[in-house]
Amino acid sequence: MAVEDEIQFERDGHVARVWLNRPWKKNCVTVPILDRLDEIITEVDEDPELRVLVVRGRGGTFCSGFDLDSLKAEFIGKSNAIDVAVKSAKVCDRLYSMKTPSVAVLEGHVTAGGFEIMISCDFAISSDDAKIGDFHIRRSLFGGAGPIYRVPRMIGIRKTKELMLTGKLLSGVEAAEFGLINKSAPADQLDATVEEFIGDLTDKSPFMMWLTKMTIDRSLDADTQSLMVMEHLAVGVALNSEDAAEGVSARAPSPSGARASISFR
């Protein structure tokens, strides 16, 4: 099967949709799949019509991690073992840092590398009965694409240790209670919940979404005074943008008293 069949990319209006498509292997990933995901990230960020990226898995499961057959054949016990961590970390960081907001839609297994993809997305919405966790420790492995620097920022040190040292799996409901995901919904309401959520993203200025996302991503990595300077500069950039002029004008009452509609490019 060609890699384009194993990771499918669709455009749906302002929404880009990526589907992992190896359900017979619980959508586990390989190096070619990660390479293709990297290419898709670039494609999405370069398309001005696309305002949100949705990452999902076919067959009722998200992603169970890196393909263990490939891991054993290509990396375990070999001098290039670190290469798979470098590759995974690079692609997940590209996902985390991309201009376009991303949403992971979680069903079935969300473990190991799949967990790392999920925590690299800006948002995560889950089915109530999903199985979510780092899981690496159950295989005597160590996650190489974000758990130790993304998860503590989301849920704190103690809950991170609970999740990673036990290898426990959380349901969607439990993951929401942990603060690890945004929302959980019954399986038969998941699609509607996702569409409602992304609807609040697609009608915003893409430029302002990027500026806001970029500054929030830095908010835990610098001191307050440095962040204040960054905030001041971001305000200046925003106020000098065409989108701000359009946005403010759209809020001004028309002669009839009605608000003007707004449509960002």
Side-chain angles (χ1 to χ4, degrees):
M1 181 178 286
V3 68
E4 289 79 9
D5 295 319
E6 295 184 325
I7 177 169
Q8 300 166 334
F9 177 37
E10 303 170 350
R11 289 176 171 83
D12 178 14
H14 291 312
V15 181
R17 300 185 192 272
V18 168
W19 293 88
L20 297 173
N21 186 38
R22 303 180 83 209
W24 62 93
K25 279 207 166 187
K26 296 181 181 176
N27 292 326
C28 59
V29 298
T30 61
V31 168
I33 289 174
L34 291 175
D35 285 337
R36 177 59 184 142
L37 177 58
D38 200 21
E39 294 172 354
I40 290 169
I41 290 168
T42 299
E43 290 181 48
V44 172
D45 267 353
E46 290 180 350
D47 189 334
E49 292 301 311
L50 296 176
R51 300 183 183 179
V52 62
L53 171 66
V54 176
V55 184
R56 198 164 183 175
R58 299 282 189 195
T61 198
F62 183 70
C63 174
S64 61
F66 199 88
D67 188 316
L68 294 181
D69 292 331
S70 174
L71 195 69
K72 287 188 289 185
E74 300 175 42
F75 299 106
I76 289 181
K78 295 180 170 56
S79 60
N80 68 335
I82 197 172
D83 292 351
V84 70
V86 172
K87 170 69 67 176
S88 299
K90 174 187 173 184
V91 177
C92 284
D93 191 59
R94 288 263 289 129
L95 178 61
Y96 181 82
S97 303
M98 68 185 298
K99 295 179 181 180
T100 309
S102 55
V103 181
V105 180
L106 313 178
E107 300 172 89
H109 286 82
V110 188
T111 53
F115 180 81
E116 292 170 342
I117 292 172
M118 181 273 289
I119 62 175
S120 300
C121 291
D122 295 297
F123 308 101
I125 300 173
S126 177
S127 171
D128 285 348
D129 58 359
K131 299 175 178 63
I132 305 167
D134 177 69
F135 204 75
H136 281 99
I137 204 162
R138 292 201 189 186
R139 297 283 185 265
S140 296
L141 297 171
F142 191 90
I148 65 169
Y149 46 89
R150 302 242 190 270
V151 181
R153 286 167 163 78
M154 293 179 181
I155 62 176
I157 291 289
R158 289 190 183 277
K159 286 186 176 180
T160 298
K161 289 179 179 178
E162 179 182 346
L163 199 60
M164 293 183 65
L165 295 181
T166 65
K168 71 190 299 182
L169 297 179
L170 305 175
S171 69
V173 174
E174 291 169 329
E177 292 172 350
F178 255 60
L180 189 61
I181 67 172
N182 296 90
K183 288 187 176 184
S184 180
D188 61 354
Q189 298 176 29
L190 180 61
D191 289 349
T193 301
V194 170
E195 294 308 307
E196 181 181 6
F197 190 90
I198 65 177
D200 288 334
L201 300 172
T202 54
D203 65 346
K204 305 301 188 300
S205 156
F207 172 73
M208 213 56 61
M209 291 280 278
W210 171 46
L211 182 65
T212 305
K213 171 174 145 58
M214 179 175 58
T215 52
I216 291 172
D217 284 347
R218 302 279 75 80
S219 64
L220 297 178
D221 298 327
D223 62 275
T224 300
Q225 293 302 313
S226 298
L227 290 169
M228 285 177 66
V229 172
M230 182 172 69
E231 190 175 61
H232 298 337
L233 295 173
V235 169
V237 170
L239 289 176
N240 280 284
S241 70
E242 293 183 10
D243 285 2
E246 184 177 345
V248 172
S249 296
R251 294 299 298 168
S254 66
S256 64
R259 299 283 187 186
S261 62
I262 185 167
S263 176
F264 289 104
R265 296 164 298 282

